[in-house]
Amino acid sequence: MTELIHPLATVPRDELVARAEADPLRPRFHFVSPAGWLNDPNGVCQWDGTYHLFYQYNPEGAFHHRILWGHATSTDLVSWTDQPVALEPSAGPDADGCWSGVLVNDGGTPTLVYSGRLDERELPCVAVGSPDLSTWTKAPENPVIAAPPAGVDITAYRDHCVWREGSRWRQLVGSGIRGRGGTAFLYESADLRSWDYVGPLFIGDASQGSPADTDWTGTMWECVDLFRAGSGSLGSEPADGSPDVLVFSAWDDGRTHHPLYWTGRYSADSFEPAALHRLDYGGRYFYAPQSFLDEAGRRIMFGWLQEGRTDAAMVEAGWSGVMSLPRVTTLADDGTLQFAPVPELEKLRGNHTSLPGRELAGTLDTGVTGNQLDIELDLQLAPGSVLRLAVLGSGDGAEETRIELSRPADGAVGLLRLDRSRASLDSSVDAGEKSGPVPMSEGRVRLRVLVDRSAVEIFANGRPLTARAYPTLGGGHVTLSATGSVRLLSFDAWTMADIGGGARTLFP
């Protein structure tokens, strides 16, 4: 759970909903809350064929108090239906908020493990659900862990990863050890109610690098997520050598930084890291991710797209925060993770534009316009060349959000870069550059770009870059240009429909 303060509570409830619905920057095929504040995905799962998305929610926007668990369901990961709020603060250990957590199947009983907040402290709590996951009863044993590990000077203590290993439950709680770095504390239980402390699974080193570095591991790890990347389950010996993956979001002194992951091996009571990787090149714009295995065996991941505009702008808009599109997580040939939007999203595709293959020269107007788009390109870049795809363009060059792919003169690793320097005439929004390396054997790149008003999700050969853009002129022109030799092998673009849902209320 990310600790932030927000001022939307100054706006009357009915006006919040009206403002949110009217905001031209509010995404229409990503999931957003009815109004107010949304952040971390929680308890994501598929239960009896239905997908469930729980999420941190404050309908009225003020952060520190009245943090709830919102709830939405879907049969296809595309269209979502608001359900009654799942968890609300009550007298006891979660009186000041129901913070992030997970859902597990306890012998057929849906069970939530979450962080309850009381008097500036967060402690693990449990709630048991009805068969349809619509109503929840908090366990009388809450908090199920009475305090953080004794004798450890922690920076914070919250968020959970829980799994079944043999006859026992295991749990990670995100934390940090002051003066050392982020960590995840490991616990064990027979019944999800009584937990024995095992020790830190692995401790990062915050002295390596600085907060400005894109791979700095932070002083605290939020929203830890441990899973086997390939075949087999946690704690077993992988037949194919698949690595285990420890995902976390780097946090420091109240500031969110970026999601990272270690590949390595989880065995017994510890995690032996092999390599550290960036999870998404957008940094804080894809934060607090959580994943699950669906009934088809796919690992599906959601993340929180934070805002890049001022508090005043969010108050005016009546809403804050976007849930990412669900993405499928798979293991790449080089042992890292790769990502792609779930194929179900293709059912939202509408008008189609296709361009024949060609050598790019100068600037090409693709003929595509819109601020809700799905664009796919297959490219061949010669050494030393650069491809530029501009979206959300005003047509006169005043505004555009530019995506660049460049191939070095030598080597097989190129660069994906998002240039937002001209994305908005509003000088108060974040316009910082985002970038990261992309493997491109022989210069081949498969690029996918999904634009949803102010949300932009980019996938280049399975490497994601997620960000926000806030155009003021309402433009949706899409152009291509190149430096050096770039061959466009295929280009397809579709307009994307709204996921709809009709009128929504703050308290479903």
Side-chain angles (χ1 to χ4, degrees), residues 228-234 236-244 265 331:
R228 173 67 51 79
S231 62
S233 56
L234 285 175
S236 66
E237 188 65 28
D240 57 0
S242 299
D244 296 320
R265 179 64 61 225
L331 188 63

Side-chain angles (χ1 to χ4, degrees), residues 407-432:
R407 182 184 178 189
D410 52 11
V413 178
L415 182 72
L416 170 64
R417 174 174 174 263
L418 178 65
D419 178 0
R420 296 184 295 164
S421 60
R422 289 192 292 161
S424 178
L425 295 181
D426 181 353
S427 61
S428 70
V429 304
D430 176 37

Side-chain angles (χ1 to χ4, degrees), residues 213-394:
D213 297 333
T214 56
D215 59 355
W216 185 61
T217 57
T219 60
M220 186 263 175
W221 292 351
E222 292 197 291
C223 300
V224 291
D225 190 9
L226 178 66
F227 56 85
R228 173 67 51 79
S231 62
S233 56
L234 285 175
S236 66
E237 188 65 28
D240 57 0
S242 299
D244 296 320
V245 174
L246 178 62
V247 176
F248 63 96
S249 290
W251 177 96
D252 175 56
D253 194 25
R255 293 190 62 187
T256 59
H257 284 270
H258 40 246
L260 301 168
Y261 69 96
W262 295 93
T263 50
R265 179 64 61 225
Y266 160 69
S267 179
D269 300 334
S270 64
F271 181 86
E272 184 65 32
L276 179 67
H277 310 274
R278 297 167 66 188
L279 188 77
D280 188 291
Y281 297 151
R284 62 180 290 274
Y285 288 110
F286 185 86
Y287 196 81
Q290 189 175 113
S291 70
F292 69 100
L293 283 176
D294 74 357
E295 293 168 4
R298 304 180 300 177
R299 180 156 295 277
I300 308 295
M301 181 176 285
F302 285 89
W304 166 39
L305 278 60
Q306 298 192 55
E307 296 291 335
R309 50 183 172 175
T310 65
D311 284 349
M314 287 184 271
V315 170
E316 182 63 28
W319 65 281
S320 174
V322 180
M323 199 61 65
S324 77
L325 297 172
R327 53 184 66 172
V328 180
T329 305
T330 55
L331 188 63
D333 292 340
D334 63 1
T336 63
L337 298 181
Q338 60 186 5
F339 302 89
V342 295
E344 289 92 329
L345 291 166
E346 295 174 12
K347 66 175 61 178
L348 294 176
R349 289 173 170 175
N351 296 332
H352 177 219
T353 299
S354 179
L355 298 178
R358 68 186 71 188
E359 190 78 16
L360 290 175
T363 298
L364 172 65
D365 187 339
T366 65
V368 176
T369 58
N371 59 9
Q372 295 177 211
L373 298 171
D374 185 358
I375 306 170
E376 291 188 350
L377 298 85
D378 197 359
L379 304 159
Q380 179 87 52
L381 281 73
S385 62
V386 180
L387 177 281
R388 302 177 188 87
L389 169 67
V391 298
L392 297 173
S394 57

